[in-house]
Amino acid sequence: MVIKTRMTATERGEQVLRAAVTAFAESGYAATGTDEIARRAGVSQPYVIRLFGTKQNLFRAALHRAFDRIEGIFNCARAAAAPDANIHEALAALADGYSVFLAERELPQLLLHGFAASANTEIGEQARVRFGGIYQLTLELTGASKSEANRFLATGMLLAVMSAMSVAGPDAVPVSWAREILDDLRMFHE
């Protein structure tokens, strides 16, 4: 006999947020409705609104989740490196985190949709503050100069765009120009 237990509101909220991350990563802010997220989460659309208030609040929560994940990836990657790593070694450790980032395609896709939705005041403010936090975290974890951190983040944004085009990451479509870029980036981080 299987006994079903009821989910708590917190568990159900987490289920809705996971569904939102997936849906927003696939279709973006404007094209994704709360009814689609509700369907994916197995709840009613009014329940989604009850939990998050508005679609914008839900999108902001999903975007917040993506930035949290990136910070976690970078923190773990740096923690795995030698404590006395020099700047180049510390940046290389963080760069190893890019492979995790690319394997979780929803992350770069959601970020790009978040940047695209930044004309919306609240979404834009959150995206700017959180991306600035990633920049500061990069400086703190590596001791890199501003120029080195800029190059590192520019590389990450290039990888995010290439991932969105499906020419980088685990399911990449083989394209010669993309392979040349990725090979060059690997040399930069070795």
Side-chain angles (χ1 to χ4, degrees):
M1 178 166 129
V2 176
I3 299 174
K4 285 189 173 183
T5 59
R6 231 177 173 177
M7 281 188 181
T8 66
T10 302
E11 291 168 332
R12 188 69 75 183
E14 180 61 29
Q15 181 179 351
V16 170
L17 185 54
R18 281 193 312 269
V21 165
T22 301
F24 285 132
E26 288 176 8
S27 304
Y29 177 65
T32 303
T34 54
D35 55 334
E36 171 62 15
I37 294 165
R39 185 190 63 72
R40 288 174 184 239
V43 299
S44 69
Q45 189 270 349
Y47 188 72
V48 170
I49 297 303
R50 190 171 345 131
L51 287 173
F52 291 93
T54 64
K55 178 175 110 170
Q56 181 185 84
N57 289 344
L58 182 53
F59 184 79
R60 290 174 60 213
L63 191 57
H64 184 69
R65 174 65 56 90
F67 276 109
D68 285 349
R69 178 71 179 125
I70 292 164
E71 289 175 358
I73 290 168
F74 283 172
N75 279 309
C76 286
R78 181 59 181 101
D84 61 344
N86 64 33
I87 292 169
H88 179 75
E89 292 165 339
L91 283 169
L94 263 61
D96 288 343
Y98 282 147
S99 62
V100 176
F101 182 72
L102 293 176
E104 298 177 18
R105 276 194 85 221
E106 291 175 342
L107 286 173
Q109 289 175 317
L110 184 55
L111 282 183
L112 293 174
H113 284 300
F115 299 147
S118 287
N120 176 296
T121 305
E122 290 82 14
I123 294 170
E125 179 63 21
Q126 179 179 347
R128 288 184 288 277
V129 167
R130 293 303 305 267
F131 192 81
I134 297 292
Y135 172 70
Q136 288 301 316
L137 182 65
T138 301
L139 292 169
E140 291 166 16
L141 291 176
T142 64
S145 68
K146 291 177 182 177
S147 177
E148 290 164 325
N150 290 344
R151 183 169 179 193
F152 176 79
L153 292 175
T155 299
M157 290 308 302
L158 174 60
L159 289 171
V161 169
M162 291 175 71
S163 173
M165 291 188 293
S166 298
V167 296
D171 299 324
V173 174
V175 179
S176 61
W177 64 263
R179 179 63 36 222
E180 289 175 17
I181 291 171
L182 293 170
D183 288 345
D184 186 56
L185 291 177
R186 265 190 283 284
M187 289 173 49
F188 169 69
H189 293 297
E190 290 176 350

